[in-house]
Amino acid sequence: EVQLLESGGGLLQPGGSLRLSCAASGFTFNNYAMNWVRQAPGKGLEWVSATSGSGGSTYYADSVKGRFTISRDNSKNTLYLQMNSLRAEDTAVYYCAKGTSYYYDSSTYYWDYWGQGTLVTVSS
Amino acid sequence: QSVLTQPPSASGTPGQRVTISCSGSSSNIGSNYVYWYQHLPGTAPKLLIYRNNQRPSGVPDRFSGSKSGSSASLAISGLRSEDEADYYCAAWDDSLSGPVFGGGTKLTVL
């Protein structure tokens, strides 16, 4: 059974930093691209970032480019999101989502399993 | 403002058939596959439909997807109380070089 368990969320002030983790199990982790998708309070879903199976290729939404860094440790079956220079508009539940292929591209990017999310609140 | 447009709400009574629309443009739905997700707040979103009209194993055939031009629809037949959730469409956008979502439709089972 595929399981994705996010952790690391919390309350912090604007300008702060936070690292989210996603522990994966139930599938061969390094065979699949992984993603972060977020949902701000009362809003819809927004794709944030993706990484290929090896971690060698990374992709970001314009809204987080230059501030967030996605990475993975395939020896620990864990996905990370380092978030710096946080803003109030980054407040959201952050979901870890599994891709359907090793690569992240227009035909395989979609997400077949998701975690339950971790809440990040940025407020002064 | 979401790139894909969905109605904010939909409703139906048990046993009814409801449809949820998703409108986009030539750079997203018009040239790429559409995906549908079911989301109950506080839980993990669930893939309902992939590649316009394919159901993952375990998804009941009460759920079906279709696409025409730059629009897509999710149909739910034989509505059940457990179908009450938020539904999101998604597609790749060639102009943005990334995936985009609809704003979500809250389905209420009356």
Side-chain angles (χ1 to χ4, degrees), chain B residues 48-56 65:
Chain B
L48 273 185
I49 298 289
Y50 67 100
R51 294 186 177 172
N52 300 337
N53 55 19
Q54 303 299 301
R55 280 187 310 277

Coordinates of all heavy atoms in Angstrom, one line a residue, chain B residues 48-56 65:
Chain B
L48 N -9.4 10.5 -9.6 CA -10.7 9.9 -10.0 C -10.6 9.5 -11.5 O -11.1 8.4 -11.9 CB -11.8 10.9 -9.8 CG -12.6 11.0 -8.5 CD1 -13.7 11.9 -8.7 CD2 -13.0 9.6 -8.1
I49 N -10.1 10.4 -12.3 CA -10.1 10.2 -13.8 C -8.7 10.6 -14.3 O -8.2 11.7 -13.9 CB -11.2 11.0 -14.5 CG1 -12.6 10.6 -14.0 CG2 -11.0 10.9 -16.0 CD1 -13.0 9.2 -14.6
Y50 N -8.1 9.8 -15.1 CA -6.8 10.3 -15.7 C -6.9 10.2 -17.3 O -7.8 9.4 -17.8 CB -5.6 9.5 -15.2 CG -5.6 8.0 -15.6 CD1 -4.8 7.5 -16.6 CD2 -6.4 7.1 -14.8 CE1 -4.8 6.2 -16.9 CE2 -6.3 5.7 -15.2 CZ -5.5 5.3 -16.2 OH -5.5 4.0 -16.5
R51 N -6.2 10.9 -17.9 CA -6.1 11.0 -19.4 C -7.6 11.1 -20.0 O -8.0 10.2 -20.8 CB -5.4 9.8 -19.9 CG -3.9 9.9 -19.6 CD -3.0 8.9 -20.1 NE -1.6 9.1 -19.8 CZ -0.6 8.3 -20.0 NH1 -0.8 7.2 -20.6 NH2 0.6 8.7 -19.6
N52 N -8.3 12.0 -19.5 CA -9.6 12.4 -20.0 C -10.7 11.5 -19.5 O -11.8 12.0 -19.0 CB -9.7 12.5 -21.5 CG -8.7 13.5 -22.1 OD1 -8.3 14.4 -21.5 ND2 -8.4 13.2 -23.4
N53 N -10.6 10.2 -19.6 CA -11.7 9.4 -19.3 C -11.3 8.0 -18.8 O -12.2 7.1 -18.8 CB -12.5 9.2 -20.6 CG -11.6 8.6 -21.8 OD1 -10.5 8.1 -21.5 ND2 -12.1 8.8 -23.0
Q54 N -10.1 7.8 -18.3 CA -9.7 6.6 -17.7 C -9.9 6.6 -16.2 O -9.5 7.5 -15.5 CB -8.2 6.3 -18.1 CG -8.0 6.3 -19.6 CD -8.8 5.3 -20.3 OE1 -8.7 4.1 -20.0 NE2 -9.6 5.7 -21.2
R55 N -10.4 5.5 -15.7 CA -10.6 5.3 -14.2 C -9.5 4.4 -13.7 O -9.2 3.3 -14.1 CB -11.9 4.7 -13.9 CG -13.1 5.6 -13.9 CD -14.3 4.9 -13.4 NE -14.5 3.6 -14.1 CZ -15.1 3.4 -15.3 NH1 -15.6 4.5 -15.9 NH2 -15.2 2.2 -15.8
P56 N -8.8 4.9 -12.6 CA -7.9 4.0 -11.9 C -8.6 2.9 -11.3 O -9.8 2.9 -11.0 CB -7.3 4.9 -10.8 CG -7.6 6.3 -11.2 CD -8.8 6.2 -12.0
G65 N -15.4 10.6 -17.2 CA -14.9 11.9 -17.7 C -15.0 11.9 -19.2 O -14.9 10.9 -19.9

